[in-house]
Amino acid sequence: MVLKVFRYRPERGPEPYFDEYEVPYRGEMVILDALNYVKDELDGSLSYRWSCRMGVCGSCGMMVNYKPRLTCSTFLREFYPEPVVVEPLEGFPVVRDLVVDMTGFMEKLQAVKPWIIRRHESPVESGEYLQTPEEVERYKQFSMCINCMLCYAACPVFGRDPDFLGPAVLALAHRYNLDSRDEGWPERHQAIAVDWGLWDCTFIGECSVVCPKDVDPAAAIQREKVARTTDAMLSMMLPFGGQP
Ligand code: FES
């Protein structure tokens, strides 16, 4: 099969270009296998990210025939015998070849404080903060995100405004707001109630279509909108405000 691969090598010049490679076809091969074949056998200069090879680490996301996909979970047989176009994730600055700059994403991730925030920490001797299976179930789906950023590459709002906090980050904020051990939603709300945050999402839903882990960030964002609206109304009517 023919692989048409996006190349950008800043030391060679400012313009990206495509290289074509012929790779052997086997039904069980994934796009990442084909890229590894290119790297090992044809052209060692090709740069791309991967690690686990099993859909867990989230580092191998690329545009495959113009759609954001995990290349370790996308089989060549889906496209055989047509050529396959492989490009870096849409909407991110390209560092080199298929490698994108994740700095903006990492900064947004940190901004929503994706960890458990407590007003008063219990001493270690008092043991874990226990949860019922029902309490875990409330946020479990939204905790399955592997930060692969496919949802960003699919999101037209992010495509238009690279400052948009984006699907994965907003879904993660919702995940912690739903956690019965957490008390940090007012802090997180400050981070997401910005012009480029929660309310910028127009619910197109492509993020959920491409998510390889069925996190459904579009649903998380809409639920967070409902929770924050309910809270705002309760805080007007009741002295103690609402709950996430
Ligand atoms: Fe880890 Fe693909 S290599 S998700």
Side-chain angles (χ1 to χ4, degrees):
M1 279 180 77
V2 171
L3 234 51
K4 294 184 178 176
V5 182
F6 178 100
R7 303 299 308 269
Y8 171 62
R9 306 178 71 193
E11 73 278 10
R12 292 244 175 133
E15 291 304 321
Y17 56 95
F18 282 84
D19 272 337
E20 286 193 15
Y21 303 101
E22 251 180 66
V23 298
Y25 170 74
R26 290 201 310 274
E28 71 278 13
M29 272 176 78
V30 291
I31 301 290
L32 181 60
D33 293 329
L35 290 172
N36 285 342
Y37 178 87
V38 171
K39 177 99 179 161
D40 293 345
E41 307 291 337
L42 306 176
D43 185 348
S45 71
L46 182 64
S47 298
Y48 51 100
R49 282 198 185 101
W50 65 284
S51 181
C52 71
R53 241 173 115 183
M54 53 193 288
V56 173
C57 73
S59 60
C60 71
M62 298 171 210
M63 304 301 288
V64 178
N65 277 5
Y66 316 108
K67 293 199 174 128
R69 307 285 295 266
L70 288 184
T71 53
C72 69
S73 320
T74 305
F75 286 87
L76 286 182
R77 61 175 177 255
E78 197 180 311
F79 311 99
Y80 182 81
E82 300 301 322
V84 183
V85 180
V86 186
E87 298 166 283
L89 277 182
E90 184 113 358
F92 293 90
V94 178
V95 177
R96 184 183 182 84
D97 295 341
L98 301 164
V99 178
V100 296
D101 184 355
M102 298 170 61
T103 310
F105 174 72
M106 299 308 283
E107 286 169 357
K108 290 171 193 170
L109 202 56
Q110 238 180 336
V112 300
K113 306 190 177 181
W115 53 81
I116 300 227
I117 298 171
R118 303 278 306 175
R119 276 195 287 275
H120 304 289
E121 292 282 352
S122 306
V124 175
E125 310 80 75
S126 64
E128 304 92 339
Y129 299 113
L130 297 178
Q131 288 185 306
T132 65
E134 291 75 26
E135 285 170 334
V136 174
E137 210 48 50
R138 284 185 76 201
Y139 66 82
K140 191 172 171 197
Q141 177 186 6
F142 306 124
S143 69
M144 305 308 274
C145 175
I146 56 172
N147 297 333
C148 64
M149 307 188 300
L150 300 197
C151 53
Y152 285 74
C155 172
V157 179
F158 176 68
R160 198 191 62 220
D161 175 12
D163 289 335
F164 175 45
L165 284 178
V169 164
L170 290 168
L172 205 54
H174 185 59
R175 172 255 178 271
Y176 279 93
N177 287 345
L178 287 177
D179 195 313
S180 59
R181 299 164 296 179
D182 183 81
E183 298 167 329
W185 73 264
E187 285 176 54
R188 260 177 235 113
H189 183 51
Q190 284 196 343
I192 64 176
V194 288
D195 284 349
W196 53 93
L198 186 65
W199 301 97
D200 225 16
C201 168
T202 51
F203 197 16
I204 288 172
E206 275 303 302
C207 51
S208 297
V209 173
V210 302
C211 176
K213 295 292 169 187
D214 294 328
V215 169
D216 200 353
I221 295 170
Q222 309 325 306
R223 287 184 200 183
E224 188 63 24
K225 285 178 181 173
V226 171
R228 298 288 67 90
T229 307
T230 308
D231 175 65
M233 294 182 72
L234 285 174
S235 67
M236 281 189 272
M237 293 188 284
L238 303 169
F240 45 80
Q243 295 295 314

